[in-house]
Amino acid sequence: MTSIKQYLTGLGYNVINDDFYGKIAQWMGWYKGKVPAFHCYSQYNGKNRIRRSRATLGMAKKVCEDWANLILNEKVELSIADAAAQEAVDQAFEANQFKTRGNQLVELAFALGTGAFVEYLDRGRVVIDYIRADMIYPLAWENGKITECAFASEKVVDKTICIYLNLHILENGTYRVRNQLFKKEDFSPLPLPLGVAEEYDTGAALPLFQIITPNLINNVDLDNPMGVSVFAGALDILQGVDLVYDSYQNEFRLGKKRIIVPAGMAQIQSGENGFTPLFDDNDTEFYAMYDKSLTDLKEINMELRAEPHEKALQKNLNLLSSKCGLGNDRFSYERSGVKTATEVISEKSDLYQNLRKHELVAREALCGIARAICHLRGLNAEFDVSVGFDDSIIEDTNAIAQRAMQERTAGIIDDVEYLTRVYKLTEEDALRKVSEMRQRAPDAPDGFGDDE
């Protein structure tokens, strides 16, 4: 990363300072689950300092998984008025595993603060790259929107680990894309693979990249165009969660039943089959003690404080859920693990309002991807596009569909309104759909075949 920043600085660009990328590294540590500065520690036992490792629930990743599943899941659909554009976008999404990889990028963007989609042509095929925050280097921005950017990715070329640097520069109103390859070991320049141009003019003011972030103010650096992790303000709470969880595990470890055995009873005895121990060394509940006053087995049962720990853990989970914008009761702790609430949420809830807020950024990115794909395919990129997000957690979609069907049957609404309400189609798409259905079955009665 240092070599990349030095190279970009040498080209005359002002890049974001190292302190912010240090924050990204910190968020990455919590996302991975183990932060050495917190989860690894030493403890004095009266004789020596012993290295310890705290248990973790991995809640930072869980928070980001939930946000990604709420925002960009398999039910999200793009509806484009232009049929050729719709086909091109659908093909590119399928070829690039967009519903899987896009969901993964949103998860990383919410963990690290920023993510990017980058589109290009490879032998006539549209390719979408998914870039995480630590490989994104803004070069110019305006009103918080990144207008020029460099993207780095690690690739293996001819068995050599390389850094591929992709710069998107706005010159004279259109974007130019520059490609460069460096050896990772010493950042020495390498020739580009066959068929990859060093530089080309896209011929459009339309960027071939889209930035996605949580829709939150970057309170780490107010003038920085990159985003912040969705759990950036909850690091103390994440520590609290793992402190309680580690103590909870220790409670069962330390509270394990013990049977104190006089040392004499734990000795080797002789028999017909030779010498055998009275107690198996693998039976960890037995503990031999050299104490002359101890003449028989003594059972020790420690009282477990499971309930206070579970209450404290649940309290911390509620705080974490609220702080990360997921509402107060998103997570519940059970002995089998952390569970996510699945009930339909209210439009007045914090989760609903935050979800709608984050969808604004996702919608802009998705529309940008669709237009970039069409531009690369030589199609008209100026078209109306609507994004249908998954509303099943916000409203009871089955109940809405049933009510809409009843109202259509009663003549309160027509087929077009039914399609717009139930399938989230635009009015134009719904009109076209109804027309196509009637052309396929001109003799069928109105109302999708129902007698009225």
Side-chain angles (χ1 to χ4, degrees):
M1 185 182 75
T2 301
S3 298
I4 296 173
K5 292 185 66 178
Q6 289 175 347
Y7 174 77
L8 294 173
T9 302
L11 294 178
Y13 294 106
N14 292 317
V15 293
I16 292 170
N17 61 50
D18 290 338
D19 291 344
F20 187 76
Y21 286 95
K23 286 290 185 183
I24 293 175
Q26 182 185 32
W27 300 329
M28 176 72 85
W30 280 102
Y31 174 71
K32 288 181 176 180
K34 286 279 190 179
V35 180
F38 175 75
H39 290 95
C40 299
Y41 66 102
S42 61
Q43 185 178 39
Y44 186 65
N45 66 358
K47 292 176 59 180
N48 300 299
R49 297 199 71 85
I50 308 299
R51 295 295 297 170
R52 305 288 190 193
S53 177
R54 287 193 177 95
T56 178
L57 266 179
M59 287 306 300
K61 187 177 192 305
K62 177 63 175 172
V63 165
C64 299
E65 286 176 0
D66 276 26
W67 270 122
N69 293 337
L70 288 169
I71 294 169
L72 193 60
N73 56 41
E74 75 283 355
K75 296 181 181 179
V76 174
E77 297 291 344
L78 268 69
S79 298
I80 303 173
D82 188 308
Q86 181 76 65
E87 183 180 2
V89 171
D90 289 345
Q91 288 177 351
F93 277 9
E94 184 175 356
N96 288 276
Q97 299 178 296
F98 184 80
K99 289 194 174 182
T100 298
R101 297 295 308 282
N103 174 275
Q104 293 171 352
L105 183 71
V106 172
E107 180 180 326
L108 281 170
F110 272 65
L112 308 181
T114 311
F117 302 98
V118 181
E119 301 82 28
Y120 62 94
L121 279 178
D122 182 12
R123 294 183 287 273
R125 183 176 68 94
V126 176
V127 178
I128 304 174
D129 272 350
Y130 306 88
I131 313 295
R132 65 178 190 259
D134 56 327
M135 304 300 275
I136 299 173
Y137 302 88
L139 304 177
W141 54 91
E142 186 176 352
N143 291 329
K145 183 180 178 64
I146 298 173
T147 56
E148 299 179 40
C149 198
F151 304 98
S153 56
E154 191 172 297
K155 298 182 181 294
V156 177
V157 179
D158 295 331
K159 300 181 181 180
T160 301
I161 301 176
C162 306
I163 297 295
Y164 170 60
L165 195 59
N166 182 235
L167 284 75
H168 292 244
I169 310 299
L170 192 57
E171 294 181 353
N172 300 320
T174 61
Y175 276 95
R176 299 189 71 83
V177 178
R178 297 170 185 165
N179 300 306
Q180 292 169 293
L181 195 67
F182 302 90
K183 186 185 294 185
K184 182 179 180 181
E185 184 180 7
D186 57 6
F187 209 70
S188 58
L190 293 171
L192 288 165
L194 188 65
V196 179
E198 289 188 8
E199 183 173 329
Y200 66 92
D201 190 343
T202 68
L206 177 75
L208 298 182
F209 67 90
Q210 300 77 37
I211 303 295
I212 186 166
T213 69
N215 195 355
L216 301 169
I217 292 292
N218 183 342
N219 61 340
V220 175
D221 183 352
L222 295 177
D223 297 321
N224 187 329
M226 296 182 73
V228 294
S229 171
V230 74
F231 55 76
L235 298 185
D236 288 345
I237 302 173
L238 285 170
Q239 290 184 13
V241 169
D242 284 355
L243 275 173
V244 175
Y245 181 61
D246 181 66
S247 178
Y248 185 64
Q249 285 200 346
N250 284 334
E251 190 72 13
F252 286 90
R253 187 182 301 113
L254 298 174
K256 186 176 181 180
K257 181 177 180 178
R258 293 286 188 272
I259 298 177
I260 305 300
V261 182
M265 296 179 65
Q267 302 302 312
I268 301 296
Q269 68 174 359
S270 61
E272 295 180 359
N273 298 321
F275 292 95
T276 58
L278 286 171
F279 294 98
D280 188 346
D281 288 340
N282 293 319
D283 290 336
T284 58
E285 65 269 24
F286 294 107
Y287 185 87
M289 179 176 289
Y290 292 89
D291 187 342
K292 294 181 179 180
S293 65
L294 186 65
T295 59
D296 202 354
L297 302 180
K298 182 179 180 181
E299 182 177 325
I300 298 178
N301 279 319
M302 303 295 289
E303 182 180 353
L304 295 177
R305 300 170 299 163
E307 188 174 346
H309 276 83
E310 289 171 8
K311 287 183 178 179
L313 191 54
Q314 187 61 59
K315 181 66 174 178
N316 276 278
L317 289 175
N318 291 346
L319 287 171
L320 179 67
S321 175
S322 177
K323 191 67 174 177
C324 295
L326 289 164
N328 294 323
D329 304 308
R330 180 71 179 175
F331 306 114
S332 61
Y333 181 78
E334 301 175 9
R335 297 282 175 94
S336 57
V338 175
K339 304 296 182 183
T340 297
T342 56
E343 70 272 9
V344 176
I345 66 174
S346 165
E347 292 187 3
K348 296 181 180 180
S349 70
D350 289 342
L351 175 55
Y352 173 85
Q353 295 174 25
N354 288 320
L355 176 59
R356 285 294 185 243
K357 183 174 72 171
H358 293 311
E359 284 176 353
L360 294 175
V361 178
R363 179 179 287 106
E364 183 178 357
L366 291 170
C367 293
I369 295 170
R371 293 191 170 92
I373 290 170
C374 290
H375 173 74
L376 289 170
R377 291 288 300 274
L379 301 172
N380 174 32
E382 298 298 325
F383 45 71
D384 291 331
V385 54
S386 62
V387 181
F389 289 101
D390 177 21
D391 287 334
S392 61
I393 63 151
I394 299 168
E395 52 192 16
D396 189 338
T397 50
N398 290 330
I400 289 174
Q402 184 177 5
R403 179 177 177 180
M405 178 64 73
Q406 293 171 347
E407 291 180 355
R408 185 189 59 75
T409 303
I412 299 173
I413 63 174
D414 59 14
D415 292 345
V416 172
E417 188 172 349
Y418 175 85
L419 290 172
T420 58
R421 187 185 300 181
V422 176
Y423 293 97
K424 308 300 182 184
L425 298 181
T426 64
E427 185 174 348
E428 184 177 355
D429 288 340
L431 283 167
R432 185 171 65 251
K433 182 71 174 177
V434 170
S435 176
E436 291 173 353
M437 293 173 68
R438 289 174 179 168
Q439 288 176 7
R440 288 199 299 266
D443 297 330
D446 290 339
F448 306 128
D450 293 333
D451 291 328
E452 295 186 2

